[in-house]
Amino acid sequence: MSNEGFLQRWSRLKTEPPAPELPTAPLPVVAEAPVVAPEMDVPLPTLADAAALGADSDYSAFVGRGVDSAVRRLAMKKLFADPHFNVVDKLDIYMSDYNLPSPVSSAMLASLSHARSVFGRIEEVLELDTADADAAPAQAPGQVPEQAQALPPPDQEVA
C-alpha cells in the first residue's frame, strides 16, 4: 500500500489515460422465434360466442387484439362468475365491520369481578374531580385566580 493520500491518488487516476478495455467474446447468436402473423382467416369472437362460454372454455381468443370491448367484457364476466373466484380468503381481516360493538357476555362479566376494585377507584377519583369543580367558585372571564395573585411577578427574584 502506498503512502499516497486520497486526493493525490484521485488526482493521479484522473490524469492517467484510461486502461484499455479487455476484448469481450462475441455473444452467441440466438435464433429468433419466427414471427407469426395473425391469421386473417379466423373470425373474431362475437357476443354469441361469449354467451356460450363455460367454466372449461378457452378464453384466450376473447382477450386478443381486435376483439370488441363488449365481447371481451362479457367473456370476463362469464369467467369471473365461476364460484371458484368468489371464495373469500382468510387473510381479509379488515373486512369485518368494527363499528358495531360486540356485547359482553355474562360469563365475561363474571370473570371481570377481580377488576371491580380498579374501576371503583377510578369512579371515586372522577367523583372527587367533579365535586371539586362544583365547589370551586365561578370566575368571571379575565379574572385572575387567588393562587396566581399571591405569586410574585416573574421579573422579581424569589428569596
Side-chain angles (χ1 to χ4, degrees), residues 80-158:
F80 291 110
D82 184 22
H84 168 74
F85 293 106
N86 292 331
V87 176
V88 177
D89 61 356
K90 303 298 182 208
L91 298 175
D92 295 334
I93 59 173
Y94 297 111
M95 288 183 60
S96 299
D97 187 6
Y98 292 104
N99 292 326
L100 301 174
S102 57
V104 178
S105 65
S106 58
M108 184 173 280
L109 283 177
S111 69
L112 292 177
S113 62
H114 67 282
R116 286 187 184 149
S117 61
V118 174
F119 294 134
R121 289 185 201 140
I122 292 173
E123 288 176 0
E124 290 174 8
V125 170
L126 291 176
E127 288 174 3
L128 288 176
D129 288 344
T130 56
D132 289 343
D134 293 340
Q139 297 177 357
Q143 186 179 4
V144 179
E146 293 176 16
Q147 295 91 358
Q149 290 176 354
L151 295 175
D155 56 341
Q156 293 180 358
E157 291 185 19
V158 178

Side-chain angles (χ1 to χ4, degrees), residues 54-69:
D56 298 336
S57 301
D58 181 23
Y59 288 85
S60 61
F62 294 92
V63 293
R65 290 186 182 192
V67 178
D68 186 31
S69 62

